[in-house]
Amino acid sequence: MNYLVISPFYPENFQPFTIELAKKEGVTVLGIGQEPYDQLPEELRNALTEYFRVENLENLDEVKRAAAFLIYKHGPLDRVESHNEHWLENDATLREQFNIFGAKPKHLKKTKFKSEMKKYFKKAGVPVVPGMVVKSEKDIDKAVKTIGFPMIAKPDNGVGASGTFKLTKKADLENFKEAWDGQTAYFFEKFVNSSIITTYDGLVDSKGNVVFETGLTYIHTPLELMLSRKDNAYFIEKELDPQLVKYGRAIIKAFGMKERFFHIEFFKNGKDYIAIEYNNRMAGGFTVEAYNYAHSIDLFRDYANVVTGGTVEERKFEPQYCLVATRRDTTEYVHSADDIHQRFAGKIKTVKRMPDAFAELQGNDAYLLVTESKEELDDMIAFIGETK
């Protein structure tokens, strides 16, 4: 098997995907990236049979030429993957160009556009709120009449909370019109009065079967984070609500993706859930480490097993909560880093420095801690986040 990794160096915490694949018998791992070869850590260099440096990964023609060279030298590619939201469309284009297994551009429409996602959520029988695509001022007026205030306006093709507006009155609508370029298609939908966003996350095998499932709950919604610059914090759930699992599996079946991670967001609505968004990859940041700590597993190795026709390893330990809590360099906190280490000695798994590209939204230092107790989890959240 020839497996092509796009951007094997960045993000750095995804490097184990390449390293674990290289340990599998019969797998040749190739890489295309824009970092100089000498910048790659030794373990990563050793995992790559060949690395082709391009000037710019954004230049798809350059990446295609690099892939064509690797095919000429090593034979047909069996897989191409980055696991990164930013490169999903390019990954799909490469698969189509070189006839490689996996999601092609035509498959991504349902995971790129919020309006399309909603169709598949409905097909799965999962609750959604009313919404419509807005491409003109006429559409805005129609949305006000059809959906009514309050509404949320999001780019129909967008990631996270970027470019999101909360519309509660006509003045908000005017602000939106002033900020809108008139070209970007937006998706307007009914505002859900819920402060809890939770997820159904996991991995499907080459036949589309869920072989790993988990979920996380945000302390602050992504919209809150964007508007208020609060500290990002979320936790991997110790166990999943059966209703959430039922909805999540129905969505997986409706979307029909194969051999991929997934990250599906829901509003918690009383005892029920409302589907928000399907992400055709795992949650970003240090979430993969949090999954591993919560479940005492190695998802990097599990993925390598699944790609080569195997399955995930036996789960030997009961899951725990795993908290990811970030702090900002510019914020004054009541408790120092030393205080955190003393209070939660034995519970802190690691402290990571957030890449600069994500630090403004999410914070600078990320603490990953585990606990079996919801009470202790709440204490961790309050203690780490308490400001002066």
Side-chain angles (χ1 to χ4, degrees):
M1 172 185 275
N2 286 332
Y3 192 111
L4 174 59
V5 181
I6 302 298
S7 188
F9 176 82
Y10 183 86
E12 291 183 42
N13 66 316
F14 279 15
Q15 292 177 16
F17 278 120
T18 301
I19 293 162
E20 288 299 325
L21 279 164
K23 293 176 183 176
K24 304 297 289 185
E25 190 175 345
V27 178
T28 297
V29 189
L30 309 165
I32 297 176
Q34 57 190 40
E35 291 79 17
Y37 182 72
D38 292 344
Q39 189 177 329
L40 276 54
E42 184 179 5
E43 192 175 14
L44 182 60
R45 290 201 303 267
N46 291 340
L48 291 165
T49 298
E50 185 155 358
Y51 176 74
F52 195 112
R53 180 178 181 265
V54 294
E55 286 299 317
N56 185 3
L57 276 174
E58 303 278 358
N59 185 334
L60 186 55
D61 287 338
E62 190 182 8
V63 175
K64 283 180 180 179
R65 288 194 295 272
F69 172 80
L70 293 172
I71 290 168
Y72 169 75
K73 192 168 177 183
H74 298 277
L77 298 172
D78 299 283
R79 299 289 188 275
V80 58
E81 187 58 69
S82 65
H83 296 296
N84 194 315
E85 178 76 44
H86 192 70
W87 308 118
L88 287 186
E89 292 178 51
N90 285 6
D91 293 350
T93 301
L94 289 172
R95 292 189 197 105
E96 185 167 72
Q97 173 93 27
F98 299 108
N99 193 28
I100 302 165
F101 172 90
K104 310 294 194 298
K106 65 183 179 183
H107 301 129
L108 293 191
K109 185 181 178 185
K110 58 192 171 189
T111 65
K112 279 172 54 183
F113 297 96
K114 294 174 176 63
S115 53
E116 290 294 319
M117 290 176 199
K118 197 174 283 282
K119 294 175 187 176
Y120 284 86
F121 293 149
K122 288 179 179 177
K123 182 182 174 184
V126 176
V128 294
V129 292
M132 65 174 284
V133 178
V134 166
K135 295 181 179 179
S136 66
E137 291 220 8
K138 273 188 180 178
D139 290 340
I140 294 176
D141 296 336
K142 188 177 177 183
V144 173
K145 288 177 184 174
T146 307
I147 302 169
F149 294 118
M151 293 183 291
I152 285 286
K154 300 183 273 191
D156 195 25
N157 179 12
V159 180
S162 180
T164 298
F165 295 81
K166 184 179 177 182
L167 311 173
T168 59
K169 53 188 181 297
K170 284 189 176 180
D172 297 332
L173 212 54
E174 293 307 314
N175 291 337
F176 168 78
K177 288 177 183 177
E178 284 181 27
W180 184 39
D181 61 11
Q183 304 296 314
T184 305
Y186 261 75
F187 190 69
F188 281 35
E189 63 183 352
K190 194 71 177 175
F191 176 76
V192 178
N193 190 23
S194 170
S195 59
I196 301 173
I197 292 181
T198 195
T199 73
Y200 177 68
D201 300 350
L203 174 65
V204 291
D205 66 14
S206 61
K207 295 181 176 67
N209 301 311
V210 176
V211 292
F212 169 66
E213 59 187 357
T214 187
L216 61 87
T217 296
Y218 295 100
I219 307 304
H220 308 295
T221 67
L223 182 61
E224 279 184 289
L225 281 180
M226 187 184 75
L227 296 176
S228 65
R229 284 179 56 83
K230 290 183 177 179
D231 293 328
N232 190 26
Y234 58 90
F235 58 90
I236 310 302
E237 292 281 3
K238 188 175 171 182
E239 53 190 41
L240 295 178
D241 181 347
Q243 182 68 13
L244 181 67
V245 173
K246 179 184 171 184
Y247 286 159
R249 289 180 181 174
I251 289 170
I252 291 299
K253 188 174 180 182
F255 275 77
M257 291 298 175
K258 295 178 180 178
E259 207 178 274
R260 298 199 62 77
F261 288 100
F262 58 86
H263 170 60
I264 310 170
E265 296 181 344
F266 296 83
F267 282 116
K268 183 79 185 292
N269 186 34
K271 291 186 177 180
D272 207 359
Y273 299 87
I274 296 170
I276 307 171
E277 193 167 310
Y278 183 107
N279 293 279
N280 201 24
R281 41 84 187 165
M282 70 164 54
F286 300 110
T287 309
V288 62
E289 287 90 341
Y291 296 150
N292 284 343
Y293 290 134
H295 294 272
S296 301
I297 57 173
D298 186 336
L299 266 181
F300 301 110
R301 194 159 59 225
D302 280 338
Y303 177 76
N305 287 342
V306 167
V307 165
T308 52
T311 186
V312 298
E313 294 181 353
E314 180 189 353
R315 299 339 195 184
K316 296 178 181 178
F317 302 97
E318 288 295 313
Q320 305 175 81
Y321 295 106
C322 182
L323 172 66
V324 181
T326 65
R327 308 220 308 183
R328 298 179 184 278
D329 293 346
T330 53
T331 301
E332 286 193 72
Y333 296 94
V334 172
H335 307 291
S336 67
D338 286 343
D339 294 337
I340 295 170
H341 281 274
Q342 286 177 16
R343 186 178 182 97
F344 302 112
K347 299 298 175 78
I348 295 179
K349 287 295 186 179
T350 187
V351 182
K352 299 274 192 177
R353 188 71 178 172
M354 194 68 72
D356 291 343
F358 306 111
E360 185 176 351
L361 180 63
Q362 299 189 13
N364 301 99
D365 292 322
Y367 289 79
L368 279 71
L369 309 89
V370 294
T371 177
E372 295 178 2
S373 158
K374 184 64 167 64
E375 289 72 25
E376 185 172 40
L377 176 73
D378 292 339
D379 182 41
M380 289 171 171
I381 294 166
F383 190 88
I384 295 170
E386 189 177 359
T387 57
K388 291 184 179 178

